Amino acid sequence: MEFIRQIERLQQLTKLVREQRTGSPEEFGERLGVSRRQLYAYLEYLKDHGIDIIYSRKINSFIFSNDKELEIVFKFQILGEENSRDIFGGKNLKNIFPCYFYARSDSKLAS
């Protein structure tokens, strides 16, 4: 379930940055349930994937700085036997709950 927690944390991070109400780095980390160091690790990871988030002292919030935002879609779907077979390459694997997860990022141009 740690994967789900990571997705939820990234969704909350994105929402707070988009709304420009993160507060200071310490406050932002506390809202996400991570240390300041972990917060900056998340931000560095996003930067490596083309999403630059910087801190603005003027508004006391982190902001998207390069007209790109992150959209995280979390989908939980129970698959039928045929779809499951397609995913597993036709092999029938016992004791596996057939589901899949994906996260997607899209760049969004400023309007």
Side-chain angles (χ1 to χ4, degrees), residues 42-98:
Y42 275 109
L43 297 177
E44 189 65 32
Y45 174 79
L46 293 173
K47 186 175 184 176
D48 290 345
H49 288 84
I51 298 163
D52 202 15
I53 299 173
I54 60 170
Y55 180 71
S56 169
R57 290 183 183 172
K58 184 177 180 180
I59 61 173
N60 189 36
S61 181
F62 284 86
I63 57 173
F64 291 105
S65 68
N66 60 357
D67 295 331
K68 291 184 180 179
E69 291 186 16
L70 180 67
E71 177 184 13
I72 299 173
V73 179
F74 178 73
K75 183 176 181 180
F76 183 81
Q77 179 179 0
I78 298 175
L79 302 175
E81 185 178 333
E82 187 171 315
N83 291 343
S84 178
R85 216 176 301 126
D86 290 342
I87 291 172
F88 295 123
K91 296 180 181 178
N92 187 5
L93 302 175
K94 300 282 185 193
N95 300 324
I96 292 183
F97 187 70

Side-chain angles (χ1 to χ4, degrees), residues 31 80 100 111:
R31 286 182 179 168
Y100 65 96
S111 306

Side-chain angles (χ1 to χ4, degrees), residues 26 28-29 34 37 49 56 86 98 108:
E26 291 80 12
F28 193 24
V34 298
R37 182 176 176 176
H49 288 84
S56 169
D86 290 342
K108 202 175 195 181

